[in-house]
Amino acid sequence: MKKSLLIALFIASVTGALAQETFPVNGVNDKRPELYAFTHATIVVNSETVLQNATLIIRDKKIEAVGASVQIPKGAVVADLKGRYIYPALVEAYSGYGLPEIKADSRNFRSAPQFLSNKKGAYNWNEAIVPEYAAKNNFQVDEKKAAELRKLGFGAANVVNRDGIIRGTATFVNLATGKENEVIISERTSSNYSFNKGTSTQDYPSSLMGSIALLRQTYYDARWYKANNGKVEYNISLDELNKQQDLTQIFEVDNYQDILRADKIGDEFGVQYIFKSAGDEYKRIDKVKEAKGALIVPVNFPKAFDVEDPFDAQQIALSQLKHWELAPGNPAQLEKAGVKFAITAGEGKDFWENIRQAIQYGLSEKQALRALTEAPAQLLNVADKVGSLKVGMYANFLITTSDLFKKDNLILESWVQGQRLIVNDASLVDLRGVYDLKIPSLPTLKLIANGSNQFANEWTVQLDSVKARLSVSRLNDMFSLNFSLKNAAKGNIALTGYVAQQSPLQLKGTAVLPNGNSVVWVADWKEAGKESAKKDELKPDLNLGKITYPLLAFGNTEQPKAEKVLIKNVTVWTNEKEGKLENTDVLIDGGKIVQIGKNLNVAGVKQVDGTGKHLTPGIIDEHSHIAISRGVNEGTQAVTSEVRIGDVLNADDINIYRQLAGGVTSSHLLHGSANPIGGQSQLIKLRWGKSAEELKFEGSDNFIKFALGENVKQANWGENQRSRYPQTRMGVEQVMTDAFQRAKEYQNKWASWNKAKSGLMPRKDLELDALVEILNQKRHITCHSYVQSEINMLMHVADSMGFKVNTFTHILEGYKVADKMKAHGAAGSTFSDWWAYKMEVRDAIPYNGAIMHNMGLLTSFNSDDAEMARRLNQEAAKAIKYGNVSEEDALKFVTLNPAKMLHVDGKVGSIKAGKDADLVLWTDHPLSIYAKAEKTFVDGIVYFDLEKDKQLQTEVKAERARLIQKMLDAKSKGAKTQKPIQEFALEYHCDSDFHLGGGEGDGEYNYHYQLEHKENKH
């Protein structure tokens, strides 16, 4: 292409861009025709169509014609692109381009709580709900950022507000310069959501389950508002949310489990989201596919960790190592699974390098192009405007030197709306060659300019046998060079120069010597340089480890299956009237206990020798906080019965496996104890490797967590936090009484409306719905409790309001009120021997469990602790030590009794034909400190096996060693590295106030710590 032609094109495109239809002209109107013809190019119309030796005609921002035999119109500026390629400009589906920077809340976290929104006007009560936000009203052209995106190849972007839970509408813009009026091409493309409350200064929500509850309630509020035509109140936010439901719905998530959580909400309200994902969908591609939503996928693959220091290497979790290896294959896995997806550049760092890496991992070039062009355009309903090169579409295209995905390809020009941006100037003088460099006071040096193309990016200077690489920057025919050559001069020499003549080539300029003197230098071309040996592209090692379920230590490469198993000659602790049976056989099949007896003979069955061993029902932990994601407490309000632990299960919590190793088969996951009426709990089975929904105990009754004591009244929160009601134990009673009074009124209101079916429909209130379930005995209470006065108080409130307390948990003063609890019908789930760890438990005694049991109360021991749950069999044994409880009754404290408390004793808790095969085979007496769980069955599936565990430990060590060596090899070959980042999993308890969020790993609620003890310059 001739230089003069390029300059002409540039002038024409810029002046054309200045013309604005609705803006007045101040002076002489200079609107030139925007008519260009690009000929003899290889034109990639879209991922399916490539035209050879073809012509592209553009007129006034749009494509007028494209084809192999196109007539060039008169007056067109013609550019001969022989040997060049034309591609559609890329489409960015998810970007904050052009919107104000989001600034995080700078308040001290100990400042007074904020319960309501500070936003003035008829808006939603919560600052994180902003459907009224319209990107079109806040968008401003950012020429610098637009140029950066265009240099990457993007021509258009979906501009999204990334602040809040409901984030309002996005707008779609071309990355052209000029007025906002000219570049906005679709004012409302998508309605946008996330689980992140963003910069809202309100306390609620403070947890993931709170965010989900708020989103769910807002959907119901919008329905109510629409049904009543806004007659009850005028609400801008709800009105706007209703108006957006016909748009594309995009949900930004932090990990693959969030996709499944969001999809469940979408199913509840008839919404199919597109998911802006985190790039870890490969971990459970089957479940992601079942969600049926298209994805917007990032390619910000993790860098290798610098693991040269063995200590650093030890700190990195296996899940982190495996994610580094497998993440680049995520797009290929999605393509293979048939999941529709677009690719987003995200921050744009190493964008093309990562795209090529994804292709090396199996992503087809055709799919890569589709995901960068047509797919995002289709998802955003702008495929008639951008994403391919068809007549009538915007003139958004790239001119490249080669195939778009080749490493040595260069984007020469980026055209958007007929505006041209030179990315790499093809008219630059080719400076490659060998020169005699003459600098006064220095000997003649050899200057060598090399590179794979005329942009010559590899420069060296040489004197005798000593060489030095030069730092080079170039703008058109001007450039600057910096080098240091010890045998020529002591210090750095800085050259600035220009092309003095082209035939023969001569470079000239000014040199600043190490002593500060400035002199004139000249470089005369002597000969052509040797062709630079092409560097081999850094090819990844594609000998990949297997995906495990879950993708962390001790995950399974295949999901374990139920087998027909006969356990022979074992001591069976039935927990039934038969008691303990010696030398007995147990047959399990189809996930159930089929037969119990002596000398059973069954053909075609796997046999397990139980001689000298013991078989018990699986341990059931009535009070646990494992496998919960991003916050166990929604303690921001006194009543949060709308939040659900079942919404935030973390199937990838390593504690599931660890507790299986201690014989636990079911865990009751409770909300924390930060408020009088907390959240809804979830009973799970420990099905290691299954998804969150698959953990749930099917058909189990619904429960909820209440709490009493110092956590509730916030006596242990610090002085600056003490402003949320209630502040006294008296206030706790009033909160509960008021809540149930409101629930009764709410129930009556609905009953009246359902009977009449006329008038204004009541508002569905998820908080009160849960309390109505309690009144109707469809939801049951587990209450955190310590002090006898408060225990009596709650039973009195329950009796007066017409509900029952199912279980008092902790209940360390249960021995004082056992008679009253028995009269009320409450059970007691306590600690075995905790005392004196805070003022509330100063009267706690280790005989508490035995006394309640002897009083005829249904009694169990629980953990409230991830570590203690691994030895609940030993905790049960303490009932023998402190209360002379029989061995069989002591075992029931952690098996049958919690099953009864949770109303699942018809399925688990004892060994009886027809019950679920949730069993533990112990190496020794199950109440002995020497007993180990040899096999733990859940639904007849062996989820923990002592021998397999030994094998897995060996495999984990080998896999870690393999991946660490792979990282070392990658670094030695020039791969970029990062400092090691250690993950810490937060283990929750009742009073945990952590809600840091984080990625999936050995606990989804991880936070990261970057190891800084060693310098790393890579």
Side-chain angles (χ1 to χ4, degrees), residues 820-832:
K820 295 181 175 62
M821 289 172 60
K822 185 176 181 179
H824 180 77
S829 182
T830 186
F831 294 128
S832 62

Side-chain angles (χ1 to χ4, degrees), residues 767-793:
E767 175 187 304
L768 296 178
D769 279 345
L771 301 184
V772 169
E773 289 176 347
I774 295 171
L775 293 171
N776 294 333
Q777 298 183 2
K778 293 181 179 179
R779 185 170 297 279
H780 308 279
I781 297 169
T782 294
C783 185
H784 164 113
S785 55
Y786 288 102
V787 180
Q788 65 166 331
S789 58
E790 290 187 294
I791 298 165
N792 285 327
M793 175 272 290

Side-chain angles (χ1 to χ4, degrees), residues 585-651:
D585 303 342
V586 176
L587 176 65
I588 60 178
D589 187 19
K592 300 289 184 179
I593 300 167
V594 176
Q595 192 175 0
I596 305 167
K598 294 183 181 292
N599 302 315
L600 298 181
N601 290 310
V602 184
V605 65
K606 179 178 179 180
Q607 290 196 12
V608 175
D609 184 6
T611 303
K613 300 171 185 177
H614 296 253
L615 188 72
T616 71
I619 290 173
I620 300 170
D621 191 354
E622 190 278 335
H623 186 141
S624 176
H625 300 293
I626 66 165
I628 296 174
S629 298
R630 311 209 287 274
V632 72
N633 266 306
E634 184 54 65
T636 52
Q637 297 177 350
V639 179
T640 58
S641 48
E642 73 279 3
V643 305
R644 306 172 186 175
I645 294 295
D647 287 335
V648 295
L649 297 180
N650 175 21

Side-chain angles (χ1 to χ4, degrees), residues 9 36-38 41 43-45 56-59 61-63 79 81 85-90 150 153-156 174 373 386-389 393-400 404 411-421 423:
L9 283 173
Y36 308 105
F38 302 87
I43 299 180
V44 180
V45 176
L56 175 70
I57 308 293
I58 67 171
R59 185 194 298 267
K61 305 179 183 179
K62 300 289 183 72
I63 296 173
L81 296 185
Y85 289 67
I86 297 179
Y87 280 88
L90 312 185
R150 288 178 66 172
F154 290 92
N174 271 330
T373 54
V386 296
S388 56
L389 301 177
M393 300 178 73
Y394 278 101
N396 290 9
F397 60 93
L398 307 173
I399 300 174
T400 69
L404 189 62
I411 298 174
L412 297 174
E413 300 178 13
S414 169
W415 287 73
V416 176
Q417 286 190 185
Q419 291 182 21
R420 173 174 177 257
L421 174 71
V423 180

